[in-house]
Amino acid sequence: MARTLGIVGTGLIGASLALALKRRDPELHVAGFDTDAARARRALELGALDSRADSPARLNAGITVLAALKSSSAPRTAAALARKMSRHI
């Protein structure tokens, strides 16, 4: 079964991190979310992501990384991830 990593923030830093990890482990599935849907689509087109979600809570990833979030979206994103995590504890 493939491992899935979630990346929240798919701009330069998040997409670069995803590409580096996928280069190291080609079997890794990377799912991404960004508040800017066009940015997430572009990361998908570039091969940094294998799939994208419309919410950080819907990434369905074993591990989720927050990569360079805008300060305006960080609280909302962290709250969504905390709700998701609380269901699995």
Side-chain angles (χ1 to χ4, degrees):
M1 182 175 187
R3 292 184 325 259
T4 300
L5 172 72
I7 300 276
V8 178
T10 61
L12 179 61
I13 294 171
S16 297
L17 175 63
L19 286 168
L21 291 169
K22 289 177 69 163
R23 195 171 15 254
R24 186 172 180 97
D25 181 359
E27 299 299 314
L28 181 66
H29 179 92
V30 179
F33 166 78
D34 200 298
T35 55
D36 181 342
R39 186 176 296 135
R41 279 193 303 275
R42 182 69 176 140
L44 189 65
E45 291 167 1
L46 292 171
L49 303 179
D50 297 300
S51 62
R52 64 184 189 91
D54 60 359
S55 153
R58 293 187 180 178
L59 285 172
N60 294 322
I63 297 172
T64 300
V65 175
L66 303 178
L69 300 176
K70 294 178 188 174
S71 59
S72 61
S73 65
R76 181 183 51 209
T77 301
L81 288 171
R83 283 190 301 275
K84 178 181 178 180
M85 289 173 53
S86 69
R87 292 191 302 261
H88 299 286
I89 295 176

